[in-house]
Structure formats: C-alpha cells, structure tokens
Amino acid sequence: MAKSWSTPPGEALRVVPGFDLATADLAATPGWEHSESAADKRLRKDGEHLGEAQERLFAHGRTGGKRSVLLVLQGMDTAGKGGIVRHVLGLVDPQGVELHSFGVPTEKERSQPFLQRIREALPDGGRIGVFDRSHYEDVLVVRVNEVVPREVWEPRFDEINAFEREVTESGTVIVKVALLVSAAEQKARLRERLERPDKYWKYNPGDVDERVKWTRYQEAYQAVFDRTSTDVAPWYAVPADNKWFARLAVGRLLRDAVEGLHLGWPAPDFDVEAEMARLDAQPF
Ligand code: ATP
C-alpha cells in the first residue's frame, strides 16, 4: 500500500488568516512524513484516482454538464510551474485538459479590462483548466514594477474576489496554488540553467532583474494571500524547494477537487435494450 498523508494538503497547506510568508519554511513538507520515494508511489496512486475521476468529468462535459475544475498556478521564476504541468497534469488524459499561459499582455489585451483575457480562457464544462500565471499577475508583477498606480491595482483584489465567486457559482471549482521557492533555492536553479547547455533555453536574463525585487514580490504575494484567500477560492501555499513535494501536494489537491465533484457516469439518452436488440439483429 502506498504511504499516505498525516494531514491532507487541503488542510495542511490552506492559507488561513495569520499565514506569514516571511517565516514560512519553504523546504518543509507539511502533512507528509515519509520519504521522497514513498511520495513518488503516492503520486502515481493519486494519479490513477485522478485519472478515473477526470474521465467521469470529461463524460459529464460531453453530455452537456457544466462542472469544471480550474487550477491556478502562481510562483516566482523557477518555482516549478512547468514541472507541475508535466508531472501532475501529465497523469491525466490530455484531451480533458485546457492549458493557458499568461505572459505580458498584448496591446489589445492592455486596452481591455484585466479580467477579459482570463474570462475568455475559463475551462469548458467537463475540463480541467490550468492557468500558468493568471489574473494574479495584475496585482503582482504589475504592482512591483509600478505598471499602473496603486489606485488602479488596489481595487483589483475585490474585483478578483467577486469574479472568482461568480466563476465558482457557475460550476467551476477553483484550486489556487502558490509554489513558494526560497531565494537561495531560486539562485541555485538559475545557476543550474547557466551551467547546463540543455538548460540554457530556460534561462532569461530578465529573471535576474526581477530577482533584485525579491522583498517587494514577497510583500505582493503576502497581500494576495491576505486579500484573496476566500472560502470559495482559498489559496494553497505549497513549499516548493523540494520539487517532489510540490508535485505530490498538487496531485492530491487536484485529485480531491475532481473527486469532490462526486460525478457519476452519465445516464444514456437512448434505450439500451432496444439498441442492443438492433445491434444483435445485424447479420455481421
Ligand atoms: P515563465 O516565466 O512563466 O516560465 P516565460 O519566461 O516563458 O514564462 P512568458 O510566458 O512569455 O515568459 O511571460 C511571462 C512573463 O509575463 C512573466 O514575467 C510575467 O510576470 C509577465 N506577465 C504575465 N501577466 C502579466 C501582466 N498582466 N502584466 C504584466 N506582465 C505580465
């Protein structure tokens, strides 16, 4: 039997009032008291359950159902968002996954309300949507780099909460994951990108410029946690210095979200007996 959590991540990692990013241990494995190899086995097992639940979700969507799950991934550069997509979403049928990455807005996007491009990317019924970065960039990078003044980004927290409530009420379960990497670990990961020719493609000199603003990013993330970890869409603060732990945790969060929809298999919209008789009546 695969080893299990002492406290599931839905509880152990949920951001509640009083959460303090500055003192969080980002190499810790809250709720998990076993080894990395035990975690690999657990993730594979969770992946099987997630896969089964996702197939029911997909079937639900194909028969007109409106429920969906949205995984929002945020994190500093090198935090491991790509690894989560590969190792956790890689466990389910790609047909059921809608992945969107949000980079610097285009000129057209900049002329629209900041939530517009997000609304357009919401998952269809039956899907697992994944946002690699999200509307939170509009209160993170935008705030830190003073792209717009405080009077513009400050009201966005309330707007985001109202938006997420609306999305939830329309049938989408939102799972917000902040992958939290320490400054020391980020440095080591950036260094590795400079040491290995197979990693050069991942290196962006701009990442070092953003790194200088570390403290301001930490403040901006803290404000995100304080203002937007709501009952309808809580944040999960995932310590990510150990990549294996982050993947294990997100795998379980996603499994719980999809299984939590409690979807059965869709009922047939045809007469099963009559169809069977018709099939059997054919000579070949
Ligand atoms: P990543 O760093 O996520 O691996 P990347 O380096 O491949 O991605 P892109 O996906 O092209 O780069 O863009 C990501 C960049 O876009 C990040 O630096 C992010 O802060 C920035 N960005 C995302 N949303 C916004 C926004 N609303 N306003 C300004 N910048 C944004």
Side-chain angles (χ1 to χ4, degrees):
M1 264 234 327
K3 294 205 166 66
S4 203
W5 293 81
S6 45
T7 311
E11 213 178 302
L13 304 179
R14 183 175 173 141
V15 173
V16 292
F19 173 79
D20 182 16
L21 178 55
T23 56
D25 178 358
L26 305 182
T29 61
W32 182 259
E33 291 167 3
H34 310 290
S35 64
E36 177 179 350
S37 67
D40 288 345
K41 291 196 188 84
R42 178 76 264 163
L43 179 58
R44 252 181 285 136
K45 205 83 204 132
D46 282 340
E48 287 170 21
H49 290 282
L50 171 61
E52 285 167 27
Q54 187 249 353
E55 195 180 344
R56 281 196 296 275
L57 174 61
F58 191 72
H60 161 86
R62 289 297 283 264
T63 49
K66 297 287 176 230
R67 306 301 311 273
S68 62
V69 171
L70 174 61
L71 176 67
V72 173
L73 293 174
Q74 280 293 153
M76 301 288 284
D77 294 316
T78 78
K81 298 188 300 313
I84 294 289
V85 173
R86 240 184 349 272
H87 294 275
V88 179
L89 277 310
L91 297 170
V92 305
D93 184 343
Q95 292 181 92
V97 178
E98 287 176 13
L99 171 67
H100 290 272
S101 301
F102 294 97
V104 178
T106 61
E107 208 176 301
K108 181 167 172 253
E109 286 170 342
R110 269 201 303 276
S111 72
Q112 298 169 336
F114 77 102
L115 288 173
Q116 183 62 34
R117 64 176 182 160
I118 304 295
R119 284 184 188 281
E120 287 167 10
L122 287 171
D124 291 328
R127 304 302 166 103
I128 297 177
V130 183
F131 285 178
D132 174 354
R133 300 186 187 272
S134 66
H135 41 304
Y136 284 97
E137 291 295 323
D138 290 281
V139 285
L140 289 166
V141 66
V142 163
R143 169 182 178 160
V144 170
N145 288 338
E146 299 176 5
V147 176
V148 297
R150 176 178 278 268
E151 308 85 83
V152 176
W153 58 256
E154 163 66 32
R156 288 181 175 171
F157 293 117
D158 290 340
E159 246 184 286
I160 287 173
N161 288 338
F163 167 69
E164 290 181 353
R165 173 173 291 279
E166 178 198 322
V167 170
T168 305
E169 284 171 357
S170 73
T172 301
V173 172
I174 305 177
V175 181
K176 301 191 294 197
V177 166
L179 295 172
L180 302 174
V181 78
S182 65
E185 179 62 21
Q186 191 201 46
K187 192 174 212 170
R189 291 182 188 178
L190 287 173
R191 186 185 291 277
E192 192 188 16
R193 291 180 181 182
L194 290 169
E195 283 168 353
R196 287 180 41 181
D198 62 326
K199 299 250 177 177
Y200 291 162
W201 67 276
K202 287 191 180 185
Y203 187 79
N204 172 3
D207 293 349
V208 176
D209 301 315
E210 287 310 293
R211 207 173 178 277
V212 173
K213 307 166 200 161
W214 190 268
T215 312
R216 272 149 62 202
Y217 269 108
Q218 298 296 98
E219 283 165 11
Y221 267 98
Q222 183 68 48
V224 162
F225 294 142
D226 293 342
R227 299 286 301 274
T228 66
S229 196
T230 58
D231 286 343
V232 292
W235 274 101
Y236 297 99
V238 178
D241 277 6
N242 290 301
K243 287 180 182 173
W244 63 264
F245 176 75
R247 292 166 190 174
L248 173 73
V250 179
R252 175 61 189 262
L253 288 168
L254 201 56
R255 173 187 167 182
D256 286 351
V258 183
E259 285 189 339
L261 296 172
H262 300 297
L263 296 173
W265 294 107
D269 58 357
F270 47 83
D271 181 336
V272 177
E273 303 255 312
E275 289 304 304
M276 191 69 87
R278 247 161 43 86
L279 187 63
D280 287 345
Q282 291 188 345
F284 53 90

